[in-house]
Amino acid sequence: MANYQTKKSSEDGYIKAIEGIDRQTLVYGDNTLMVKFKLTKGCAMPSHKHPQEQTGYLISGHMILIINGERHEMVPGDSWCIKGNVEHTAEAVENSVVLDIFSPVREDYI
């Protein structure tokens, strides 16, 4: 891989993560990976955890983020950081678009 990577915005390349949630891997390097998620109103990400730290930003919509059982109402412009191996989930109150960065890279998202 070159020492840099760029990607133009595109509506192509989404993968259905689960019903109501689509995932698009944007770019990744040696240590980080950036992903865009589209969540459909009413859907919920199953509770899960992974070894990667996850930093996120709500671009549009409205969602509830539940981290270690604590509910956080998220609106556009809100952000979060979830340490590795911490249980979390998200519920879409409205159609939402989320930008997440994972470190280290999630090989399963490449």
Side-chain angles (χ1 to χ4, degrees):
M1 184 168 110
N3 60 0
Y4 68 92
Q5 188 181 129
T6 64
K7 183 174 180 179
K8 294 290 191 178
S9 179
S10 171
E11 288 303 309
D12 296 333
Y14 280 92
I15 295 169
K16 182 181 294 265
I18 62 168
E19 191 61 40
I21 301 178
D22 294 327
R23 178 185 83 231
Q24 181 187 49
T25 296
L26 300 174
V27 295
Y28 59 93
D30 293 335
N31 301 303
T32 60
L33 174 131
M34 183 182 295
V35 179
K36 184 162 60 169
F37 288 95
K38 289 183 178 179
L39 291 78
T40 303
K41 179 181 178 178
C43 75
M45 175 71 73
S47 188
H48 66 286
K49 60 183 175 179
H50 41 75
Q52 295 85 1
E53 183 172 85
Q54 178 178 346
T55 303
Y57 178 81
L58 184 59
I59 295 170
S60 64
H62 179 190
M63 65 182 221
I64 304 297
L65 191 58
I66 302 168
I67 306 168
N68 260 351
E70 266 188 64
R71 294 175 63 86
H72 304 272
E73 187 168 346
M74 309 304 285
V75 296
D78 289 349
S79 56
W80 54 89
C81 183
I82 304 168
K83 298 281 186 187
N85 294 311
V86 173
E87 194 83 21
H88 59 283
T89 184
E91 302 169 358
V93 177
E94 305 176 354
N95 289 343
S96 301
V97 177
V98 173
L99 186 65
D100 275 323
I101 298 170
F102 295 91
S103 179
V105 172
R106 283 192 66 154
E107 298 292 332
D108 57 332
Y109 281 10
I110 296 176

